Structures are given as C-alpha cells and as structure tokens.
Amino acid sequence: ANDNFGFSVAVGSNKIVVGSYGDDDDGFSSGSAYVYNIDGTNEVKLTASDAAGGYIFGRSVSIGSNKIVVSAPGNDGNGSSSGSVYVYNLDGTGEVKITASDGAQYDEFGISVAIGNNKLVVGAYGDDDNGSNSGSVYVYNLDGTGETKIIGSDTAASDSFGNSVAIGNNKLVVGSPYDDDDGNSSGSAYIYDLDGTGEVKLTASDAAANDNFGFSVAVGSNKIVVGSISDDTFGSAYI
C-alpha cells in the first residue's frame, strides 16, 4: 500500500527502471527503484546508501548511456527538500550521489531527471534565483563532474522552470509550465545546446491561461514533444 510503484518509469539500454517513491524500507516514503530486463525478469531493487524517511527516492528515473539515474528530491543534505540524485551502473552498482553546488532548502533538485548524450540533466523547480520557485536546471557529466547551471533568460517567480527535462539529439529541453507569457500558467518550454547556450523558447500557437504547456517534455528522432495537461480541460500535446 502507498508504495506508488510505477509513478516514474524509463526504458533504455535493454533495461526498464521503475520508481516507487512511497516505499518505506528506510523510513516513511524513503523510496526505492526497481530495474528489470525488458521481459520483466531479473529484478534488482535500488535504495540510496544514505536513505531516510521523506527522501522520496524514485520520484523521477531515467536510463541511458549505460547508466541509471534516480532522484530523491526530498533529500535534506543542503536543507529540507534540497534534493539529490543518484547514478548507478545498469546492475545497480557504483552509486554516485550528486547534489547542486548551490543547493538550498525546498529547491527539490531532482524533481525531474534525464540522461543521454553522455550527460545528466536535473531539474530543480523550487530554486529561487529569479524569484520564489522560478526554477533552474543543472547539467553534469555522468560521474557528477562538470556542473553547468541553466536558468531561463526571462524566468520569474512561480514559473517552475525545470518541472520537466529531456535530452536527445544533442539538445536539452526544459518545461516551465507556470510561465505566464500568454496568461496565468499558460506555460512554455526552452531548448538549449548541451552546454546551456543557444536558448530557444517555445510557446503554443494557441496558448491560453492555465494550459500548463511544458508540464512534460520529450525529445528524440529530431522532434520535440511538449505536454499541455490542462489545455481545453482534458489536455493536449504539441510536436
């Protein structure tokens, strides 16, 4: 009960990763993640080496470049819910813990993660650099080195830049679903080169208040997909 197995999922490198952030092995909602072969066999369970209650390890997961990344946005290493992420080999060994160099309470570093092009992308939608919950994104090498921080050029309080992230085709995509360019919480998404340069901002051609364009994002096959969960009440996606 209340494990939330399947809240996050990812597939790649001939493996499936499933987040279960409500698992209580190391305290209430300490969280876990499970790794399987594509056919569901050979289960491996992951928990953080420093797990504790409230870490919600498994809130977001990703797999790529022969690595698995699992987030724990409730981790309190840099203050309450400052957040962290963990990188593993495909067999669950070789844990590397990553936290933001400037992490602070309620940043929720790890609310979103993506891995690809030999880079790791981490969203921290509670970061306050451009106002409360304006949000930010961090890019790392797979070993946690080479940190680059990205903040949208026009982000403002409550934009939640970093609510969603994706990486592919040598590009990063970042969702900012509470951006207000076309009305309150109309939403937007940003595209960057892997080094954080070359910003391109996307908004829907028919954007309206409360659409939450950018709540989810994906990139691949030379296309970008942006989810707009509240568009026309029932939601839509843009390619």
Side-chain angles (χ1 to χ4, degrees):
N2 301 314
D3 275 1
N4 296 118
F5 177 90
F7 186 88
S8 57
V9 293
V11 62
S13 304
N14 291 311
K15 294 286 185 178
I16 296 167
V17 187
V18 183
S20 182
Y21 76 79
D23 194 4
D24 302 324
D25 282 11
D26 296 292
F28 180 75
S29 292
S30 54
S32 63
Y34 297 78
V35 186
Y36 301 91
N37 295 331
I38 294 294
D39 62 359
T41 61
N42 197 35
E43 178 184 277
V44 175
K45 184 174 185 179
L46 305 178
T47 57
S49 59
D50 61 347
Y55 277 13
I56 54 175
F57 177 93
R59 173 61 173 74
S60 184
V61 298
S62 187
I63 185 169
S65 303
N66 290 313
K67 294 288 186 179
I68 294 164
V69 59
V70 182
S71 79
N75 186 283
D76 56 9
N78 287 323
S80 180
S81 295
S82 52
S84 63
V85 300
Y86 300 78
V87 182
Y88 301 91
N89 299 322
L90 295 180
D91 62 0
T93 63
E95 179 186 274
V96 175
K97 181 180 180 179
I98 302 171
T99 58
S101 60
D102 62 347
Q105 66 176 352
Y106 308 128
D107 278 359
E108 295 196 60
F109 175 91
I111 197 66
S112 58
V113 294
I115 193 168
N117 296 118
N118 292 311
K119 293 288 186 179
L120 167 65
V121 188
V122 183
Y125 72 173
D127 193 5
D128 301 326
D129 283 12
N130 282 347
S132 179
N133 297 323
S134 53
S136 64
V137 166
Y138 298 77
V139 185
Y140 299 91
N141 299 322
L142 297 183
D143 62 359
T145 63
E147 179 184 272
T148 299
K149 184 174 184 178
I150 302 172
I151 300 170
S153 61
D154 62 348
T155 51
S158 302
D159 278 0
S160 293
F161 177 91
N163 184 84
S164 56
V165 295
I167 186 170
N169 299 113
N170 292 311
K171 294 288 185 178
L172 311 174
V173 185
V174 182
S176 184
Y178 300 100
D179 190 8
D180 301 326
D181 281 12
D182 294 292
N184 185 54
S185 298
S186 53
S188 62
Y190 298 76
I191 307 168
Y192 298 93
D193 296 327
L194 296 181
D195 62 359
T197 63
E199 179 185 273
V200 176
K201 185 174 184 179
L202 304 177
T203 57
S205 58
D206 61 348
N210 302 312
D211 279 358
N212 298 125
F213 178 90
F215 193 87
S216 56
V217 294
V219 60
S221 302
N222 293 311
K223 295 288 186 180
I224 293 166
V225 186
V226 182
S228 183
I229 61 167
S230 300
D231 184 26
D232 298 325
T233 304
F234 299 109
S236 60
Y238 296 77
I239 302 170

